[in-house]
Amino acid sequence: MRSRLIQDTSTLEPTWREWLAALAPPTRALDAWLGRDDRLLIIAPHPDDEVLACGGLLFDHHARGGRSLIVAVTDGEASHAPSAQWDAVALAHRRNVERLAGLRALGLDAPDVVRLGLPDGRAADPRTRLTERLLALMAPTDVVVATWRLDGHPDHDAAGSAAAQASAVHGCRLIEAPVWMWHWAEPDDPRIPWHRLHALELGVPAVAHKRAALSAHVTQLTARDAGRGPVLDGAIIARALRGAEYFFV
Ligand SMILES: [Zn+2]
């Protein structure tokens, strides 16, 4: 069994497709995830996580006139560090532009984004007061989507844990999205609560808009300096373009 640490090798998409077909997690229609009048509150540790975690859900909810708020936990300024190509301030600025372009590609003409500006890689530091900040932004009627609290990246875990605490205080429904889990886990992995996994099937337009949204994240799709490949590799892109999104409930 591999560790939860994010390493270079990952479980490839054909393996996951075969496993998911055999597992056949229960499918819920959009209305069962959230009502048209519910606000979808997405807690995204880095720019692009709102697409990777739940871009299809966001597209479908918005297409029927639903409201959303994206809480941008960090601006993802550490994705290239150390880098001679990008300093942190310039990269944070660029990634915020990419985030907005990605959200527009999902159909949000005027995306509602709150940037918390927490340090990328250190969102779990208690001094960030992430739970308190989420408490202040959340309303009891929100349906909250956050990265899974055991996703295996410190910022994703921090966002998931803080979202769980704040949702419990407000009594919000919480949906947890695995993102990095698909990288380090394996089919039938005993560390994964497979019985809690449910699916939202996506139509062709949702997948197409997700593809367009992901392509807005140019800094993540191009090779980094010092011979490092792009952050979003082929396996991640293939997962993002599945005909379904999967969440823990
Ligand atoms: Zn992330």
Side-chain angles (χ1 to χ4, degrees):
M1 192 185 295
R2 291 202 298 262
S3 81
R4 273 180 210 270
L5 289 174
I6 296 164
Q7 297 166 333
D8 285 347
T9 55
S10 73
T11 302
L12 295 176
E13 183 58 6
T15 307
W16 281 127
R17 286 196 185 202
E18 199 178 311
W19 161 248
L20 287 165
L23 183 69
T27 295
R28 288 182 177 182
L30 180 61
D31 280 335
W33 290 101
L34 81 168
R36 186 195 164 282
D37 296 331
D38 295 331
R39 184 174 71 161
L40 177 58
L41 192 143
I42 298 172
I43 298 161
H46 310 106
D48 74 11
D49 283 319
E50 63 282 358
V51 184
L52 298 171
C54 61
L57 176 68
L58 177 56
F59 172 81
D60 282 349
H61 183 55
H62 191 265
R64 65 180 177 174
R67 294 171 302 133
S68 59
L69 173 66
I70 318 298
V71 180
V73 177
T74 80
D75 288 327
E77 70 276 7
S79 66
H80 289 51
S83 173
Q85 192 183 4
W86 285 104
D87 70 56
V89 172
L91 187 55
H93 175 77
R94 168 58 54 184
R95 294 199 68 187
N96 183 53
V97 170
E98 291 175 351
R99 172 167 47 214
L100 294 173
L103 289 168
R104 278 187 219 104
L106 290 174
L108 285 75
D109 295 332
D112 205 355
V113 178
V114 173
R115 287 168 75 184
L116 300 184
L118 267 49
D120 187 4
R122 288 181 285 126
D125 188 317
R127 286 171 294 184
T128 63
R129 299 183 300 109
L130 179 55
T131 305
E132 270 177 73
R133 288 163 181 240
L134 296 182
L135 273 170
L137 292 167
M138 227 174 248
T141 51
D142 287 340
V143 174
V144 177
V145 177
T147 44
W148 182 35
R149 68 191 89 174
L150 297 174
D151 204 30
H153 181 295
D155 292 340
H156 286 218
D157 297 3
S161 296
Q165 288 174 42
S167 300
V169 171
H170 278 295
C172 299
R173 182 188 299 180
L174 174 68
I175 299 168
E176 290 186 81
V179 176
W180 280 108
M181 179 205 86
W182 301 107
H183 184 88
W184 54 258
E186 296 162 328
D188 209 19
D189 197 314
R191 295 168 294 180
I192 310 304
W194 296 112
H195 62 285
R196 288 176 49 211
L197 195 71
H198 286 60
L200 168 72
E201 285 184 358
L202 301 180
V204 171
V207 177
H209 282 265
K210 232 177 134 173
R211 181 192 294 273
L214 211 52
S215 70
H217 292 270
V218 176
T219 59
Q220 307 302 295
L221 293 164
T222 44
R224 293 166 289 176
D225 52 353
R228 291 170 299 160
V231 177
L232 298 177
D233 63 16
I236 297 174
I237 294 164
R239 290 198 291 272
L241 301 179
R242 289 171 177 165
E245 286 177 345
Y246 298 92
F247 304 103
F248 294 122
V249 296

